[in-house]
Amino acid sequence: DTEVTQTPKHLVMGMTNKKSLKCEQHMGHRAMYWYKQKAKKPPELMFVYSYEKLSINESVPSRFSPECPNSSLLNLHLHALQPEDSALYLCASSLDLGLVIADTQYFGPGTRLTVL
Amino acid sequence: AQSVSQHNHHVILSEAASLELGCNYSYGGTVNLFWYVQYPGQHLQLLLKYFSGDPLVKGIKGFEAEFIKSKFSFNLRKPSVQWSDTAEYFCAVTSSNSNSGYALNFGKGTSLLVTP
């Protein structure tokens, strides 16, 4: 089973709202990732968690706040977003990070976010 | 600078035509190479990957790619495309020398349209 699930599939929020995106995997992967993808563009890395600790933050604005409650779950908390933050938010996971370079990331279907 | 280059941004082919999409990378160190596909409205799926060994790798749906280390290339090929191959194709690299750890570094993508 190479499934990464994400909820919700679609989200519309105002600029003053607080919402959260959720990602889950049950493959025993210890690295989890958030990417942002604009239409017709490649995914851009936002955050990397390794063994439930934040290991990479690609200079993402503080209105995006990641959280990794356990090895299977990854959340992205959203607050005071801007319309330009509208995008597809992708979660991915992989077996390991750092110890084994030969690793494959598996992507979830994404959450399509619209900020009004 | 570290980068992944996909030379063909838009490709239009007739069904049964042969396909070759170029990908070059400028990362040093140990690299792992991937091709992902994103069908319209769907999430990223792994087509194939190269970690080591035989430089000619076969993936799903009849795709293959050849790693040529001396040319820093990992071109994707398919002998005969079908209408259902219409999608966005992304080349991606992980590198032991990357500034983002082992996260994927994507090319800008190639949009393939296959006409009946």
Side-chain angles (χ1 to χ4, degrees), chain B residues 18-53:
Chain B
S18 64
L19 170 72
E20 179 158 4
L21 301 182
C23 174
N24 287 88
Y25 62 93
S26 61
Y27 292 85
T30 304
V31 294
N32 296 324
L33 301 151
F34 305 82
W35 277 96
Y36 282 87
V37 62
Q38 194 168 30
Y39 297 102
Q42 296 191 28
H43 64 287
L44 279 165
Q45 299 175 39
L46 181 68
L47 265 183
L48 46 77
K49 61 189 178 186
Y50 173 80
F51 289 164
S52 63

Side-chain angles (χ1 to χ4, degrees), chain A:
Chain A
D1 180 12
T2 56
E3 189 177 25
V4 178
T5 59
Q6 289 186 246
T7 54
K9 288 184 67 174
H10 301 274
L11 178 62
V12 179
M13 60 187 289
M15 289 190 284
T16 58
N17 292 157
K18 284 185 183 181
K19 296 287 185 184
S20 297
L21 310 184
K22 182 179 172 181
C23 172
E24 197 164 2
Q25 56 87 15
H26 295 287
M27 296 179 276
H29 289 175
R30 302 312 298 269
M32 295 186 78
Y33 311 77
W34 280 115
Y35 289 85
K36 173 183 177 181
Q37 187 181 24
K38 292 280 206 178
K40 299 293 187 183
K41 299 289 186 186
E44 297 174 6
L45 182 67
M46 299 175 73
F47 302 104
V48 181
Y49 272 82
S50 174
Y51 290 81
E52 295 127 65
K53 287 188 168 38
L54 182 65
S55 64
I56 294 175
N57 176 342
E58 290 287 293
S59 303
V60 179
S62 59
R63 56 186 185 267
F64 296 92
S65 174
E67 178 197 20
C68 190
N70 60 57
S71 60
S72 301
L73 274 176
L74 185 65
N75 298 323
L76 186 62
H77 303 298
L78 315 172
H79 174 54
L81 294 193
Q82 304 296 310
E84 59 264 29
D85 296 321
S86 298
L88 181 67
Y89 287 84
L90 296 166
C91 175
S93 71
S94 65
L95 185 64
D96 204 350
L97 182 68
L99 296 177
V100 178
I101 187 174
D103 203 357
T104 301
Q105 288 182 34
Y106 296 93
F107 285 82
T111 294
R112 177 82 51 197
L113 174 68
T114 303
V115 182
L116 301 175

